[in-house]
Each structure stands twice: as C-alpha cells, then as structure tokens.
Amino acid sequence: MPARVAFFEVEPWEEAYIEGHLDGKFEFAFFTEPLTVDTVELAKGFDVISPFIYSDIDKSVIEQLPDLKMIATRSTGFDHIDLTVCAAGGIEISNVPFYGENTVAEHTFALILALSRKILPSVERTRRGNFDLAGLRGFDLKGRTIGVVGAGSIGQHVIRMAHGFEMNVVVFDVRRDELLAKNLDFKYEDLDELLRISDVISLHAPYNPHTHHMINRRNIHGMKRGAILINTSRGGLVETSALVEGLQNGILNGVGLDVIEEEGLIKEERQLLSHEYTHEKLRIALETHMLLFRDDVIITPHNAFNSTEAVQRILDTTMANIIAFIEGRPQNTVLQAA
C-alpha cells in the first residue's frame, strides 16, 4: 500500500503543487489547521505528517499517533517538535535546512534600509500630502559597522550584502571559523564587544536555552548609542522589555523585527481571556503592542522567508525528504530513527 502522508497548515496553491509533483506515489490528506492536541484526530492513521511552525507536536500529540513514522517539517527550525518523545518512539524527523538564505538576508536589509533612511515615516507623511523633510534625515550605511550574530548560511549572505554597501563587518558566533572570516573579510568579536562597536546589529542565531534573551536588559545598555537592532531569526533571542527600555532611553535608534517574543499569541483578542495566558505572556504581548505604534520600530509578520522562490524550495525539499525516507535513504534528518 502507498504511504499515507498528511500535510498541515497548507494553502490551496501548496496542495495543488504537491499533488502535481507526487501524484500516484502517496495517499494524501491536506489540512489548513496546525497540528495540535485539538486537531490530532486528523493525523491518526498516517505514516508521515508534514507541519509548519505553528503546529505544536508535543508528547500529548505524538502519543496519540501510533502509526507515525516520520515528521517532515516544512521549516528550518524544529523547536515545535518534541525530539525526546520522537526519539523514544522511533520517529524520524527531517527539516528544510536551506531554502531562504538569500531571501531572509534580503528582508534583513530591507528592514535596515527602511530604518536607516526613515522610509515608513517618509511614505506616510507624503501620502498625507506633506513633503516637509524635517525629522526624515537618515544615515549612510557606507563606513558603518554591522555586527552579525550567527554566521550560518543566512548570516553569511548578510555579510556578503553588507560588503556591497561598503560596511565593516564583525561577527559573533560560538564556533569560530578563521578561514571563513578570511574569505568573507570579517572579524570575530565576543558578543559584548560586538554590541559596543556596531551601528547595526543583525541576529541570525538559532533559538535554544543558550540563546534565550541573548539581547536583554543588562547588555542593551552596553550597545553603541544610536544603533539599530534587526531580528529576522527567532523572537526569543530578544527580551521584549529590553527593546522598550533601549528605545525609551535613546540607546537604540531603531528596531526592525520579523519575529517577536511569544509571537502568535494575539491573533485573536479573545485569546487574552484564555487560561493559557500567564501574567508574563500578557506582559510581553502588551509590550509588543507598545512597539507596534512607534515610528522607530518596524515589525513584519514573520514574513522574511516569504518569497515565491523560497516557499517553492520549501515544498521541493520537503517532498524530496519524504521520498528519500520512504525509499530508505533518509536525508536532511534532524532525528534519524534507529
């Protein structure tokens, strides 16, 4: 019998694209909902599930899926999946390690340029028929220092683009590759020094217990005064209250965020009445709300990856991962079954 595959968080065009490329090889089901404990019944009986980042595949979900053999997440990150429980159950996990390196890097520079040249207030003012230049003076990127936190595939694209703007580049990464530094013409610094000397700080680190709140209320005061901070990686890297404090005290000149701490909590206002809202989550949500209406803050809705080319690469890689698993030659494995 053909393998049964369930795709969650799927848009209509994605369903058509997948069926067009895998027709006849598998038995499919497509769901617009994320996979959670509330929707787990939909996933029962499937050999493979393919979620995106808003699914919450924890122990309570996995224990109800005895037929599950593989999770093919359509993302680079996999913090929405309980790896420990999957390992115990012999469930293999694959991800999409490379799909939007240039895409996210381009969005990063879109945020940098929008802040450095005050694009949003310029557009909004002009739309009101006001062509006054007062308060709209920006600054050149040429000759400025950009601090790149995380020199993985996305960070490396950012470094290359920064050189195109004739910026100086410093990098913080837990793994130092001096050959890479030589080839891409940058200098490694520890995090505190990077924050002290950088005019632009761009975050491209994974989220884990070691990187939680790596930008926080302590080290925000060590930043170069007037710097701008960009986060297109994971919201939990930055303590929201540190951003509020940094902006209110004039430490930060601007903030560009494609991800926010506890993102997704306020899709509907009635969620505020849910028992799941702790006081801490509510505080973060309200602080984020404060940031939304500042002229020196730009927040985009986790959209950095979202180009036509990148989302197609996500599907192509996911389908290849599923085929490789079924054929007994797994690839892009985060967790490989014994």
Side-chain angles (χ1 to χ4, degrees), residues 36-61:
T36 67
V37 69
D38 296 323
T39 59
V40 68
E41 288 292 327
L42 299 174
K44 289 186 175 180
F46 287 93
D47 305 295
V48 178
I49 56 173
S50 178
F52 191 49
I53 59 172
Y54 296 109
S55 291
D56 185 12
I57 307 174
D58 59 12
K59 182 179 180 180
S60 62
V61 170

Side-chain angles (χ1 to χ4, degrees), residues 286-306:
L286 292 175
E287 285 174 341
T288 301
H289 183 76
M290 291 170 58
L291 296 174
L292 281 171
F293 299 99
R294 293 185 62 106
D295 289 338
D296 49 7
V297 175
I298 300 174
I299 299 178
T300 53
H302 207 138
N303 197 44
F305 76 97
N306 193 20

Side-chain angles (χ1 to χ4, degrees), residues 40 57-66 68 71 81-83 85-86 89 91:
V40 68
I57 307 174
D58 59 12
K59 182 179 180 180
S60 62
V61 170
I62 296 166
E63 287 181 341
Q64 297 185 60
L65 302 175
L68 184 61
I71 300 172
I81 304 169
D82 190 322
L83 299 185
V85 176
C86 286
I91 299 167

Side-chain angles (χ1 to χ4, degrees), residues 60-99:
S60 62
V61 170
I62 296 166
E63 287 181 341
Q64 297 185 60
L65 302 175
D67 299 314
L68 184 61
K69 300 178 181 66
M70 181 204 188
I71 300 172
T73 185
R74 300 190 309 280
S75 61
T76 299
F78 43 86
D79 47 308
H80 53 299
I81 304 169
D82 190 322
L83 299 185
T84 302
V85 176
C86 286
I91 299 167
E92 190 157 300
I93 301 171
S94 70
N95 72 337
V96 183
F98 308 107
Y99 68 89

Side-chain angles (χ1 to χ4, degrees), residues 226-253:
I228 63 175
L229 176 69
I230 308 293
N231 188 9
T232 55
S233 185
R234 286 290 184 268
L237 299 179
V238 181
E239 186 178 10
T240 305
S241 57
L243 296 181
V244 175
E245 189 169 323
L247 289 164
Q248 289 178 340
N249 292 329
I251 299 166
L252 290 170
N253 190 43

